[in-house]
């Protein structure tokens, strides 16, 4: 098939699947079909709009019940959640933290907030997340193991933590990565920003890391406008997380006593109210998104040189963002496809720019990231809003 015909086929296939009555089809827009108006209006009517109110506690309890994690602490956004998670596991200034080169920049930013150094690692073709086997081989080469952990023989810095990210909602190989963490005395912090509603071997993501971070940005499966949450199965860490994110203020009826450098990260009640209504609809949203993924897979099934990225083995994905992957000999078509689809009112986008290519992270350590480089050149995200799968669910 000629190159120009491939581009046209992608555009025509998307047009065939997507609604005909919309001038612009966003990549991912929020869906409000439940009690959002009622719950938010109650906050306004009663005046409970800030960080104190019944919906914050209710939202946290709903997250606990849905994910199976024992403790949830609602915060202002996913980056704040990840920042606190890293502090909870003991990341200190000048530590190194292993993160995928292929992730949103918030992952590296949160590491930097701790005064730590992001150490970029490669991805797996199977999961799009950290490749545990390639990483294990790499760490065996560069690590010096001491009683208090593993140290980078090249930089002399301690490698304190690893942050696997579940790309587009597809769970990484958590068991294998957890084994790597145990072997090298590295703490795991899961970046579950994109994976609410995703399961690995029947268990919700966020249950493997000592602490995990969720995001409820406007483009996530569930939104609170802006917001995030810290998940942990450790009771003491959960209590400390709530304390730190509430400016480390000690309980008292009127005095202001603080015992740590704290953070004003608590989620407002009005945002939590929106989140409660959204979680009530979460099973429906995930069902619709998975139905849309199945339609995409069928629509692109016979198109040579292009495949729809599917959930990994042993995983059930929420398909937060659907994506197509071009074969390597079609990679040169990526920008043509992006241009043509957006011209037609179908919002598509490339995957994130690899983080080591940004000037502020150019000097950070990294392993060979050739798989991530290949994926970056060939991935295109396509419209994934839940309502797009409603007629198929």
């Amino acid at each position: 098939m000629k190159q120009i015909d491939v581009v046209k086929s992608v555009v025509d296939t998307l047009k065939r699947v997507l609604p005909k009555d919309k001038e612009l089809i966003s990549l991912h827009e929020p869906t409000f079909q439940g009690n959002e108006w009622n719950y938010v209006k109650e906050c306004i009517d009663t005046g409970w709009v800030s960080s104190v109110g019944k919906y914050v506690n209710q939202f946290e309890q709903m997250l606990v019940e849905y994910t199976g994690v024992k403790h949830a602490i609602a915060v202002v956004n996913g980056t704040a959640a990840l920042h606190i998670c890293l502090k909870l596991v003991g990341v200190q200034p000048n530590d190194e933290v292993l993160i995928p080169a292929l992730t949103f920049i918030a992952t590296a930013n949160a590491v930097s907030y701790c005064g730590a150094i992001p150490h970029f690692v490669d991805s797996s073709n199977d999961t799009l997340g950290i490749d545990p086997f390639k990483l294990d081989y790499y760490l065996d080469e560069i690590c010096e193991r001491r009683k208090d952990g593993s140290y980078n023989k090249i930089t002399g810095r301690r490698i304190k933590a690893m942050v696997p990210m579940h790309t587009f909602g597809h769970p990484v190989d958590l068991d294998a990565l957890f084994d790597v963490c145990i072997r090298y005395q590295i703490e795991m912090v899961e970046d579950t920003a994109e994976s609410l509603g995703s399961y690995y071997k029947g268990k919700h993501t966020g249950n493997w890391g000592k602490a995990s971070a969720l995001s409820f940005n406007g483009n996530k499966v569930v939104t609170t406008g802006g917001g995030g949450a810290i998940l942990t199965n450790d009771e003491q860490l959960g209590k400390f997380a709530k304390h730190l994110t509430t400016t480390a203020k000690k309980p008292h009826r009127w005095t202001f006593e603080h015992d740590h450098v704290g953070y004003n990260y608590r989620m407002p009640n009005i945002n939590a109210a929106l989140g409660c209504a959204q979680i009530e609809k979460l099973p429906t949203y995930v069902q619709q998104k998975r139905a849309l993924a199945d339609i995409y897979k069928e629509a692109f099934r016979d198109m040579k040189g292009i495949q729809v990225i599917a959930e990994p083995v042993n995983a059930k994905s929420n398909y937060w963002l659907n994506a197509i992957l071009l074969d390597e000999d079609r990679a040169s078509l990526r920008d043509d496809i992006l241009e043509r689809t957006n011209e037609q009112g179908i919002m598509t986008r490339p995957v994130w720019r690899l983080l080591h290519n940004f000037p502020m992270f150019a000097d950070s350590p990294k392993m060979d990231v050739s798989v991530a480089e290949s994926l970056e050149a060939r991935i295109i995200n396509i419209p994934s809003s839940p309502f797009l799968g409603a007629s198929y669910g």
Side-chain angles (χ1 to χ4, degrees), residues 173-380:
D173 190 343
L174 283 162
D175 283 344
L177 286 173
F178 191 77
D179 287 345
V180 171
C181 287
I182 295 295
R183 191 152 44 249
Y184 295 94
Q185 296 174 264
I186 294 171
E187 299 285 3
M188 179 186 285
V189 170
E190 281 182 72
D191 184 345
T192 56
E194 302 172 3
S195 65
L196 184 61
S198 296
Y199 294 80
Y200 175 78
K201 295 185 177 179
K203 196 172 186 178
H204 199 283
T205 56
N207 275 282
W208 277 257
K210 193 170 185 179
S212 304
L214 283 170
S215 171
F216 309 113
N217 190 31
N219 65 351
K220 295 300 190 292
V221 182
V222 159
T223 184
T224 58
I230 300 158
L231 305 179
T232 182
N233 285 310
D234 186 307
E235 182 176 359
Q236 292 305 312
L237 278 187
K239 289 179 179 178
F240 190 49
K242 181 164 284 193
H243 184 59
L244 276 185
T245 56
T246 316
T247 67
K249 184 179 182 297
K250 298 172 71 174
H252 195 279
R253 285 185 296 166
W254 61 80
T255 66
F256 290 88
E257 296 290 340
H258 305 263
D259 56 3
H260 288 82
V261 174
Y263 302 87
N264 189 13
Y265 280 176
R266 293 289 284 149
M267 177 183 286
N269 194 51
I270 195 167
N271 295 84
L274 188 63
C276 289
Q278 287 271 289
I279 288 188
E280 290 173 353
K281 303 292 292 185
L282 178 55
T284 298
Y285 295 160
V286 173
Q287 179 184 7
Q288 290 172 348
K289 291 173 75 60
R290 289 181 60 80
L292 178 63
D294 287 340
I295 292 300
Y296 278 140
K297 290 175 208 171
E298 180 61 27
F300 283 95
R301 182 168 56 86
D302 296 326
M303 192 175 297
K304 292 183 179 179
I306 296 175
Q307 61 175 303
V308 174
I309 295 176
E311 63 193 1
V313 176
N314 296 321
K316 181 179 179 182
S317 177
N318 64 8
Y319 283 93
W320 169 57
L321 284 185
N322 278 285
I324 56 175
L325 180 67
L326 309 178
D327 285 357
E328 291 193 353
D329 62 352
R330 306 281 196 192
S332 62
L333 298 178
R334 187 197 70 171
D335 289 353
D336 288 341
I337 293 171
L338 290 167
E339 185 170 348
R340 285 285 300 278
T341 50
N342 282 280
E343 283 176 353
Q344 296 292 319
I346 299 171
M347 189 180 292
T348 59
R349 76 173 188 199
V351 74
W352 315 282
R353 183 180 174 188
L354 297 187
L355 295 184
H356 63 277
N357 290 324
F358 288 100
M360 55 282 198
F361 300 125
D363 294 329
S364 297
K366 69 178 178 70
M367 66 183 291
D368 170 77
V369 291
S370 54
V371 173
E373 289 169 342
S374 175
L375 291 170
E376 178 194 27
R378 298 186 291 128
I379 289 175
I380 298 174

Side-chain angles (χ1 to χ4, degrees), residues 86-120:
L86 292 167
K87 293 188 73 67
L88 291 175
V89 303
V91 172
Q92 299 290 326
N94 210 41
D95 282 343
E96 292 182 8
V97 178
L98 304 170
I99 69 171
L102 183 68
T103 183
F104 183 53
I105 199 166
T107 313
N109 285 343
V111 173
S112 298
Y113 296 166
C114 297
I117 314 298
H119 187 147
F120 300 114

